[in-house]
Amino acid sequence: MATAHKNKTLATFLAFSVGAAGFHRFYLHSWTDPWGWLHAASLLLTGILMRLFPEQPWVFTGLPFILSWLLALLSALVLGLKSDEQWDATYNPGSERATKSRWPLVLLLALSLALAFTVLIALLARVTDLYHTGGAFG
């Protein structure tokens, strides 16, 4: 009996767009994946921290979400850069279809890389500003 075919482009898109909530993990590994639930828990933890400490800068209270988001963008890169043969061997061992990556995957990878570096540089700049000036520049 053939198993459901898991699409590499869809998994990469889920990691890119809603990966901070763990949806790419749930798509690939089912709803019982503990790492997917850890991503989802980061949203809850961020909400609790922002509610308990509203006077703190968002960089600190939102850190669980930001880290989860950066890890999801890294996952998008790792998933998208797997060769089609490795992808099928890992996620589609019983599928009758073969994965064929196309240009949308390349665009997703470029966007993931650009967004990950932008977020990382912005995070470092904001933390440095808070450390050196106490947030005097915004």
Side-chain angles (χ1 to χ4, degrees):
M1 182 171 134
T3 60
H5 185 81
K6 299 211 166 93
N7 188 313
K8 182 168 134 179
T9 305
L10 177 60
T12 304
F13 177 74
L14 288 173
F16 172 76
S17 60
V18 289
F23 285 104
H24 64 294
R25 300 285 309 184
F26 297 137
Y27 173 69
L28 293 172
H29 303 286
S30 84
W31 289 99
T32 59
D33 183 54
W35 293 106
W37 286 110
L38 190 61
H39 277 288
S42 74
L43 295 173
L44 180 65
L45 181 60
T46 298
I48 290 170
L49 288 173
M50 286 185 164
R51 181 71 103 154
L52 290 176
F53 305 105
E55 70 284 350
Q56 293 298 318
W58 62 267
V59 172
F60 299 127
T61 56
L63 196 59
F65 172 75
I66 294 168
L67 291 177
S68 178
W69 191 24
L70 285 171
L71 287 172
L73 290 172
L74 179 64
S75 292
L77 291 170
V78 169
L79 292 172
L81 289 173
K82 268 190 183 219
S83 71
D84 291 343
E85 294 78 22
Q86 283 180 320
W87 177 266
D88 285 335
T90 304
Y91 298 108
N92 297 318
S95 176
E96 297 170 355
R97 294 174 30 204
T99 298
K100 292 181 184 172
S101 299
R102 306 232 188 266
W103 279 104
L105 180 64
V106 175
L107 294 175
L108 275 172
L109 291 172
L111 283 172
S112 296
L113 188 61
L115 186 59
F117 277 117
T118 301
V119 169
L120 190 59
I121 289 170
L123 180 65
L124 290 172
R126 182 64 178 144
V127 167
T128 303
D129 170 49
L130 288 170
Y131 179 74
H132 289 291
T133 67
F137 295 115

